Amino acid sequence: MTQPQLEIQAIAVVTAIACALPGVFLVLRRVALLSDAISHSILLGIVLAFFVAGSVTSPLLIVGAAAMGLITVVLVQALTRTKLVANDAAIGLVFPALFSIAVVLIARYSGDVHLDTDVVLLGELAFAPFERLVIAGYDMGPQSLYLMGGILLLNFAGLLLFYKELKLATFDAALAAALGFSPALVHFGLMGMVSVTAVGAFDAVGSILVVALMIAPPATAYLLTDRLPSMIAGSALIGAAAAIGGYWLAHLLDASIAGSIATVLGAMFAVAFALAPQRGLIAVARRRGRQRWEFARTMLAIHLLNHEGLPEAADENRVEHLKDGLGWDGDFTAEVVKQAKRNGLLWEGEGALILTDSGRRLAESAVAA
Amino acid sequence: MTSFTLAAGQVLIHGRPYAEQERQVAYVPQRGSVDWDFPTTVLDVVMMGRYGTIGWMRRPGGKERALALEALAKVGMQAYADRQISQLSGGQQQRVFVARSLVQDASVFLMDEPFQGVDATTERAIVLLLQDLRASGKTVVVVHHDLQTVADYFDWVTLLNVRRIASGPVHEVFTEENVRLAYGGRVAWLKTEPAATTGSTTAR
Amino acid sequence: MLTIFSDYTLRTVALGAGALGIVSGVLGSFAVLRKQSLLGDAISHAALPGVVIGFLIGGKSPLALLIGAAGAGWLGTLVVRSIVRTTRIKDDGALGLVLSVFFGIGLMLLTFVQRQPDASQAGLDTFLFGQAAALVRSDVVTIALLGAVAIATVAVFWKEFKLLSFDPEFGTTLGLPMGRIDVLLTTLLVIAIVIGLQTVGVVLMSAMVVAPGAAARQWTNRLGVMVPLSALFGATAGVSGAVISSQEAQLPTGPMIVLSASVLVLVSLSLAPGRGLLWELWRRRKNRKRLSVDAVLADLYALDLQHEDEHPHSVAALNAMSAERDGVGEELKQLEDRGWASQAAEEQWVLTDAGRAEARLRSRSASMPGDGRASEEADGRLGAAP
């Protein structure tokens, strides 16, 4: 691996983890799409801050962008609170408007603003190592690594210090308020975290990948675990793995790194969606199948119980007559009978099926319920 | 609990404004008010009741854990401490909420329909607990709709239907006439929720 | 302004944007009502991989791009739906996931295609921000044709869509295949979005779905009015955005269309009768005034009770009792208008018999047995969080 390759991967991994941490709470609080809104409207903050600062490298740009992220959240909340539009509509009204203003401003003053809207949306991680941090003539490495590293530390510290508050306000905002932890304060703290992270990350990976990095890893981890700490750790791990996997996929295809990372994230989610123990599609389908057979065996036992001791029992309880009595087809009936025998629910005597004690108990308890 | 707004009047707890006394009040919400898919355990939810006492930034420790386990034992849920909360039945969820209110060190308990849609075991467990609380000098205010059990469970009742109909000791106030005032006539247009009965077990 | 009739390019762009506004206005209404406002955002982003694949297969043929986009957008909605239905991930998470992952896949494919030696890149870059200025007559014809089909379908299935937006479970009990009706409506939404991508682009297309519907909702409570009104708003935003951006150099069309739509929303939110913010302010003011009049009546009654016979009371005393900072003059006038109080002398007021009766009635319903500080408006659900 060459030096730039290593640096790009390091930036990608750090960015992915920094995004995953607040992302967990976005997903749990059901406000995942605020990340979409924030990551777009920060463009307006950058443009406005640029007009004030006059340069694209000023740190004021980050402040302005993060402030615009919070303003977006405030506007969405204010609009929702009027009850004139639903929350999702409010998001869909606010960020396109702010983003439009930014695009118009950039177009009008394109001579002065050296901002490329394509890059804002799509990012170009491959260029990230070109901007170096040079101190006293020494090359300390790429600037974005330091920026994202700092944001990651900030997020990590915030999570460590306010883990309990974030958890409580997310799970039960009313209790949080009663115990003296203002849910609004916690919410805005989290949104501040998201804004700062989005601002730092979009430069490297583009605003749409920011959304992918914030939402996909927590969504994937949510399918795999029932514990908040492991959901957080899992998200960070998934994000980091996708960052490295995405880098090499992009390398292989000579394609966009941001796009490839999102693709890998999607693939990881798809795998979890299909295979997750207990919650995955396959596990659910198998459980449904098992329940279907279980149900069929019980039905058979009830059928036998109903006819037990009656004169027609010898006739009704013959295997070949079961399919008429229960409306099943032949193969299905044969399989159910085989399973029921294996489970010790019944035995076959003189061509008719006879319930065992445990089979009778099953049928009786099923009828009683 | 600051999330309700006063239409009029004021709320006093032990003679002082509610805002000063928030910690004195433990609120047991209706089960539907939280996301039961939240990735956490029963014990963790009960420990949340201690967060107010712990304060900002500090973490709950062994003492909180012990208190939470003790509260879970009181509601008969100690065996479920490590369960994911989505695996509980409705009645078990309700008992977890009650256990959470127990660890809050409050003197007033506010319960919103704690018996709504719960099994008989849970109802019995909660009622026994209410009586314990009363015996130890706590006040419990319950929003309640089941007229059959009012006289058994509570010793003070307030009948509400838009306005307050009557309030006083159960044997004086819980009369047919008052109940009819609370439920009668308006049932047709109020449809599903004709009235709320606020029972309270008060220790004097 | 008149150039719209003479300038060929402007006329084409304005017509295209207007037609697009109508279609997205109609289908957006349903999306807004069904709380699926952001589904449009997800569909437009999810269309990217389809566009690239359409390009790979069909070259620059606009139809291939449209079909590819629609296919991918539609697949995106399907994935959102199955995630929400089978996992504990909620709407917002599923939408965000599909939006960003599909777009990422599209981006990867796009850059992959672009870096092939023989690739011609034209037509794909416009996807992000749209390029309304490049609309030609055949594009407008495509928009109009597809849009007409979509709107005709809405007309045919009007009552089913209405039921779907209002109460799908009830629809199921009527024996209607609500699942399939849902798929049909979503397909129409996908069509509306796909034909708009070329004009306003991925990022802003969601606004074209949400804004006209949200604006129209403020003016009416009836679906039959809301949908045409939303179409009108959409058309207005499209045409005016196109015209404004043509007036000056470097005003991109897509963002101008979205900003026009946003202005329509702002105007509707503030002015709409019955719902609008100004209306609400006025109502609150009126309400406060009513309450303060009631309070003065109660004060007069309280003073009145201290005397056996009819006795005038000074405005100064009433001012002292009232919470109103600017005095009670206006409230007293109101009471006089209703015949509940009359002026006995300069700065002296007296309660009339009617006023006394009214005040007695109110005080009786307010004070109940038990403690005196009972809330009059307790709503029967003690301490219930909203």
Side-chain angles (χ1 to χ4, degrees):
Chain A
M1 262 189 283
T2 65
Q3 172 93 9
Q5 280 184 332
L6 246 160
E7 284 175 359
I8 292 172
Q9 287 177 72
I11 296 169
V13 167
V14 169
T15 307
I17 299 175
C19 288
L21 298 182
V24 169
F25 289 94
L26 286 178
V27 169
L28 290 177
R29 297 171 74 84
R30 306 181 190 186
V31 291
L33 287 167
L34 279 179
S35 67
D36 188 30
I38 290 174
S39 69
H40 283 93
S41 56
I42 51 177
L43 181 62
L44 181 57
I46 290 173
V47 174
L48 293 178
F50 170 79
F51 286 143
V52 176
S55 106
V56 277
T57 50
S58 162
L60 198 63
L61 263 61
I62 292 184
V63 177
M68 191 52 74
L70 285 180
I71 290 173
T72 308
V73 176
V74 171
L75 284 177
V76 168
Q77 224 163 52
L79 208 53
T80 309
R81 204 164 285 164
T82 64
K83 297 203 173 125
L84 296 176
V85 294
N87 182 257
D88 62 329
I91 294 177
L93 289 169
V94 169
F95 88 82
L98 297 179
F99 189 78
S100 292
I101 296 174
V103 174
V104 169
L105 286 176
I106 292 174
R108 292 283 293 177
Y109 304 98
S110 55
D112 314 321
V113 188
H114 302 287
L115 277 173
D116 188 345
T117 34
D118 277 21
V119 174
V120 170
L121 284 180
L122 310 179
E124 194 41 277
L125 206 49
F127 298 154
F130 294 157
E131 303 273 341
R132 314 295 297 185
L133 182 71
V134 180
I135 295 176
Y138 285 99
D139 178 4
M140 309 293 289
Q143 278 182 9
S144 29
L145 189 58
Y146 286 96
L147 180 64
M148 284 320 298
I151 292 174
L152 172 60
L153 279 180
L154 210 68
N155 287 354
F156 191 68
L159 193 64
L160 217 58
L161 288 176
F162 297 105
Y163 174 75
K164 162 176 120 275
E165 288 77 9
L166 274 165
K167 183 170 68 177
L168 178 60
T170 301
F171 177 62
D172 191 342
L175 180 69
L179 296 181
F181 305 105
S182 155
L185 200 64
V186 175
H187 185 65
F188 275 97
L190 178 65
M191 288 306 148
M193 220 191 228
V194 171
S195 297
V196 171
T197 311
V199 178
F202 94 106
D203 191 34
V205 297
S207 57
I208 295 167
L209 182 61
V210 171
V211 178
L213 284 177
M214 284 192 179
I215 299 177
T220 310
Y222 200 15
L223 298 179
L224 299 172
T225 174
D226 277 342
R227 300 285 190 271
L228 187 53
S230 46
M231 183 173 166
I232 294 171
S235 299
L237 218 64
I238 290 166
I244 293 172
Y247 174 79
W248 288 104
L249 180 64
H251 186 76
L252 197 73
L253 297 175
D254 189 18
S256 148
I257 300 172
S260 303
I261 294 176
T263 306
V264 173
L265 283 170
M268 291 170 90
F269 179 83
V271 170
F273 189 25
L275 301 180
Q278 292 167 41
R279 297 180 194 284
L281 287 179
I282 292 174
V284 170
R286 282 179 61 178
R287 193 160 55 233
R288 287 225 183 100
R290 215 166 39 235
Q291 282 164 350
R292 180 165 153 248
W293 290 112
E294 227 173 76
F295 180 72
R297 291 197 298 270
T298 313
M299 284 296 291
L300 174 61
I302 293 172
H303 178 82
L304 297 178
L305 182 73
N306 285 344
H307 297 286
E308 209 170 46
L310 297 176
E312 78 265 18
D315 200 36
E316 273 287 334
N317 291 358
R318 296 183 86 79
V319 180
E320 55 270 31
H321 288 162
L322 278 178
K323 54 178 188 239
D324 304 325
L326 288 160
W328 294 343
D329 73 38
D331 289 345
F332 185 75
T333 313
E335 175 63 25
V336 176
V337 170
K338 201 173 94 194
Q339 287 185 12
K341 273 186 202 160
R342 200 169 49 218
N343 291 9
L345 298 177
L346 48 82
W347 54 284
E348 199 167 348
E350 298 168 10
L353 299 174
I354 298 159
L355 281 174
T356 62
D357 283 345
S358 83
R360 199 168 296 117
R361 267 199 304 279
L362 174 75
E364 277 164 354
S365 68
V367 172
Chain B
M1 265 263 294
T2 42
S3 49
F4 69 84
T5 43
L6 286 178
Q10 52 181 328
V11 179
L12 300 179
I13 307 285
H14 303 317
R16 306 196 56 81
Y18 170 69
E20 293 172 22
Q21 300 278 64
E22 260 181 342
R23 295 281 170 74
Q24 289 296 319
V25 182
Y27 176 52
V28 181
Q30 293 199 356
R31 275 179 287 124
S33 66
V34 303
D35 176 11
W36 291 97
D37 278 339
F38 194 87
T40 192
T41 60
V42 166
L43 184 67
D44 205 37
V45 170
V46 177
M47 284 206 289
M48 286 181 188
R50 296 296 302 166
Y51 284 10
T53 324
I54 305 173
W56 285 92
M57 294 204 272
R58 305 237 308 278
R59 294 296 191 83
K63 182 183 158 219
E64 280 70 33
R65 210 184 144 78
L67 281 169
L69 281 169
E70 191 188 326
L72 275 175
K74 278 189 192 156
V75 296
M77 289 285 292
Q78 66 275 50
Y80 295 83
D82 284 325
R83 279 285 178 96
Q84 147 72 10
I85 53 174
S86 66
Q87 296 166 6
L88 303 179
S89 73
Q92 290 168 338
Q93 291 175 351
Q94 191 66 55
R95 279 189 270 167
V96 171
F97 267 174
V98 172
R100 191 179 73 175
S101 73
L102 292 180
V103 301
Q104 284 184 46
D105 268 346
S107 59
V108 178
F109 292 77
L110 214 53
M111 305 194 179
D112 192 357
E113 301 275 3
F115 305 116
Q116 184 91 332
V118 304
D119 52 285
T121 324
T122 299
E123 180 150 350
R124 217 163 24 246
I126 295 177
V127 168
L128 285 175
L129 213 73
L130 295 190
Q131 286 163 0
D132 271 5
L133 288 172
R134 171 172 53 186
S136 59
K138 314 278 187 190
T139 303
V140 186
V141 179
V142 179
V143 179
H144 192 60
H145 267 108
D146 183 3
L147 296 178
Q148 307 290 327
T149 52
V150 170
D152 297 337
Y153 292 175
F154 308 110
D155 45 31
W156 184 280
V157 68
T158 300
L159 293 163
L160 297 173
N161 183 355
V162 186
R163 330 186 144 263
R164 187 168 64 160
I165 305 296
S167 183
V170 171
H171 60 92
E172 282 173 28
V173 168
F174 195 65
T175 61
E176 196 184 336
E177 189 201 345
N178 280 337
V179 171
R180 187 165 302 140
L181 268 174
Y183 278 79
R186 297 177 189 258
V187 177
W189 61 266
L190 275 169
K191 286 182 186 132
T192 50
E193 272 193 4
T197 315
T198 306
S200 63
T201 51
T202 318
R204 285 286 141 108
Chain C
M1 253 330 249
L2 284 174
T3 48
I4 191 168
F5 301 109
S6 54
D7 182 333
Y8 171 78
T9 313
L10 175 55
R11 199 169 54 210
T12 313
V13 173
L15 270 178
L20 162 69
I22 293 175
V23 183
S24 55
V26 167
L27 288 149
S29 298
F30 290 101
V32 168
L33 286 177
R34 299 180 67 199
K35 307 229 182 328
Q36 293 184 337
S37 296
L38 291 169
L39 187 60
D41 200 24
I43 293 173
S44 60
H45 283 83
L48 181 56
V51 172
V52 182
I53 292 169
F55 177 78
L56 279 177
I57 295 171
K60 275 201 279 181
S61 138
L63 194 65
L65 297 185
L66 271 182
I67 293 175
W74 198 77
L75 184 68
T77 65
L78 215 68
V79 175
V80 168
R81 214 201 288 223
S82 70
I83 290 175
V84 172
R85 203 175 292 166
T86 51
T87 74
R88 36 184 188 178
I89 296 166
K90 312 296 185 295
D91 270 22
D92 61 301
L95 286 169
L97 185 82
V98 165
L99 178 159
S100 56
V101 166
F102 271 59
F103 190 83
I105 295 172
L107 184 59
M108 183 187 74
L109 290 175
L110 178 64
T111 45
F112 174 68
V113 171
Q114 279 176 341
R115 284 168 198 175
Q116 300 306 300
D118 56 339
S120 88
Q121 309 179 0
L124 287 173
D125 285 341
T126 61
F127 184 78
L128 275 180
F129 294 107
Q131 206 170 44
L135 282 182
V136 293
R137 169 178 280 201
S138 68
D139 295 326
V140 178
V141 172
T142 312
I143 293 177
L145 272 180
L146 282 173
V149 171
I151 291 176
T153 316
V154 170
V156 171
F157 292 96
W158 178 261
K159 71 174 187 309
E160 283 81 7
F161 289 166
K162 191 172 170 176
L163 201 56
L164 180 70
S165 315
F166 174 64
D167 189 354
E169 267 142 49
F170 179 65
T172 310
T173 65
L174 293 182
L176 289 168
M178 292 322 273
R180 259 178 281 167
I181 293 169
D182 189 0
V183 170
L184 179 63
L185 185 57
T186 307
T187 309
L188 296 180
L189 182 65
V190 170
I191 292 175
I193 286 168
V194 166
I195 61 178
L197 287 179
Q198 200 191 348
T199 312
V200 294
V202 175
V203 183
L204 298 178
M205 193 53 218
S206 65
M208 289 305 290
V209 173
V210 184
R217 177 68 189 85
Q218 311 309 320
W219 299 91
T220 174
N221 284 322
R222 290 185 39 213
L223 189 66
V225 180
M226 179 182 164
V227 171
L229 194 61
S230 173
L232 181 70
F233 283 159
T236 311
V239 173
S240 56
V243 172
I244 295 169
S245 78
S246 74
Q247 299 302 304
E248 284 209 45
Q250 290 164 336
L251 277 183
T253 314
M256 287 321 292
I257 295 175
V258 169
L259 287 177
S260 306
S262 304
V263 169
L264 283 173
V265 171
L266 269 183
V267 170
S268 304
L269 287 177
S270 0
L271 297 183
R275 281 171 68 101
L277 293 174
L278 288 181
W279 189 274
E280 180 64 27
L281 271 178
W282 179 71
R283 185 162 43 207
R284 240 181 249 169
R285 216 182 119 82
K286 213 175 79 175
N287 208 12
R288 213 178 37 230
K289 217 173 254 164
R290 187 178 60 79
L291 284 175
S292 70
V293 170
D294 289 356
V296 173
L297 178 68
D299 291 347
L300 255 177
Y301 182 64
L303 290 173
D304 197 68
L305 285 177
Q306 297 167 5
H307 302 274
E308 289 293 310
D309 54 343
E310 205 166 271
H311 191 96
H313 307 286
S314 74
V315 173
L318 289 167
N319 274 340
M321 292 171 84
S322 164
E324 293 289 300
R325 253 177 261 142
D326 53 350
V328 297
E330 209 176 317
E331 285 77 14
L332 286 169
K333 283 240 169 57
Q334 291 259 346
L335 288 176
E336 190 174 25
D337 287 348
R338 289 186 220 175
W340 290 342
S342 64
Q343 193 161 10
E346 184 79 7
E347 298 285 295
Q348 295 284 322
W349 287 75
V350 67
L351 210 56
T352 63
D353 288 340
R356 195 167 298 116
E358 177 71 24
R360 192 177 302 133
L361 200 73
R362 289 185 188 196
S363 70
R364 188 170 304 157
S365 63
S367 80
M368 291 283 178
D371 60 335
R373 282 215 171 265
S375 148
E376 189 181 346
E377 310 209 13
D379 64 352
R381 314 206 81 241
L382 213 67

